[in-house]
Amino acid sequence: MSMSMNVLEANALGKRYGGTWALRECSLQLPAGHVVALIGPNGAGKTTLLNLAVGLAAPSAGGVTVLGGAPAGSPAALDGIAFVAQDTPLYKNVTVADMIYITRSLNRRFDQAYAQARLEDLGIPPRRKAGKLSGGQQAQLALTLALARRPRLLVLDEPVAMLDPIARHDFMATVQAAAAADGVSVLLSSHVLTELQRVASYLVLLACGQVRLAGRIDDLLAASSQPSLEELALSYLRETPAEVAR
């Protein structure tokens, strides 16, 4: 995948639910080759943006393309993107081995040997039912199934929200390793700012349905007087409510 390509381009993108805009006039270009942290307060539009990017929702205004210009939700887009939603959608009564089988049969491309080797490394037993795994193991299973599709873009919505600190650290380390080893671009929404600083190289800050800040984290930190991603994000998040009371 060309590193000069944009894995996501949103152009005046908007999504309305009833009378409320969850996302409005959202324009964004995300270059390939990054772990992109998508942050913002609850209700900022993060999940809406991710759902639009992966084709689970259709825009009310504007447009969004992925992987160098493929319309979101098109066959080319779906083939190159793996999405792990917030409530890790595993069938609780299905074994790990059957989850692999189901995922393989639903996807044109699936690296079964990779999935099995990775779960073995993690000590996740194939005969165990998904619902009987720990939270950390469930998250790792969902991530493994996503990575085994060999995506060019991995989209994760709040994947570590419910995990304990060790499981969270291990999950993020896996994401970072996949990005480094396989050149997967990652778009990850999270509230856990300290964890993001370790793995992310690019930041998008949403507030009130609009992009407030976007860029390489090194550049953003250099341009601000803030010592860390967390301080930088908090300084913006504290400023926003009064600014956008419209």
Side-chain angles (χ1 to χ4, degrees):
M1 181 166 72
S2 145
M3 287 299 160
S4 59
M5 180 187 92
N6 286 330
V7 287
L8 183 140
E9 288 190 32
N11 201 351
L13 182 63
K15 180 64 181 173
R16 191 174 59 211
Y17 293 100
T20 309
W21 288 89
L23 208 63
R24 192 161 200 181
E25 287 295 319
C26 173
S27 293
L28 189 61
Q29 294 189 328
L30 295 182
H34 285 283
V35 175
V36 179
L38 174 64
I39 64 174
N42 287 336
K46 299 188 298 295
T47 294
T48 300
L49 176 59
L50 297 183
N51 284 341
L52 290 166
V54 300
L56 283 175
S60 309
V64 57
T65 60
V66 291
L67 303 174
S74 65
L78 293 172
D79 220 31
I81 296 180
F83 179 51
V84 180
Q86 199 164 359
D87 39 356
T88 322
L90 299 171
Y91 304 105
K92 303 293 184 209
N93 289 322
V94 171
T95 65
V96 170
D98 283 344
M99 283 298 303
I100 290 177
Y101 177 78
I102 291 165
T103 310
R104 189 188 74 190
S105 46
L106 290 175
N107 290 283
R108 210 164 57 81
R109 198 170 46 226
F110 188 78
D111 187 339
Q112 186 168 347
Y114 165 87
Q116 286 168 330
R118 196 162 174 271
L119 293 172
E120 199 174 310
D121 285 349
L122 290 164
I124 295 176
R127 294 268 150 262
R128 181 83 37 92
K129 288 187 174 174
K132 296 274 186 263
L133 298 174
S134 70
Q137 287 177 324
Q138 288 190 25
Q140 288 282 9
L141 173 58
L143 180 59
T144 299
L145 295 173
L147 287 171
R149 292 184 50 218
R150 296 298 185 195
R152 295 154 71 196
L153 174 63
L154 175 65
V155 178
L156 304 165
D157 189 8
E158 289 283 351
V160 296
M162 307 305 288
L163 302 184
D164 66 57
I166 292 174
R168 189 187 291 159
H169 181 279
D170 292 350
F171 183 94
M172 290 296 213
T174 303
V175 169
Q176 192 175 28
D182 305 330
V184 183
S185 299
V186 181
L187 175 56
L188 164 80
S189 83
S190 182
H191 282 305
V192 189
L193 298 175
T194 40
E195 208 59 68
L196 288 173
Q197 172 121 23
R198 255 182 352 100
V199 300
S201 51
Y202 203 94
L203 176 73
V204 175
L205 193 144
L206 278 188
C208 303
Q210 294 192 315
V211 178
R212 296 274 148 211
L213 186 65
R216 291 170 184 266
I217 290 171
D218 290 350
D219 297 345
L220 296 174
L221 288 176
S224 76
S225 52
Q226 303 295 348
S228 71
L229 172 58
E230 192 170 15
E231 297 292 330
L232 175 69
L234 288 171
S235 71
Y236 266 80
L237 293 171
R238 286 211 166 93
E239 274 168 28
T240 40
E243 219 182 277
V244 282
R246 58 184 173 82

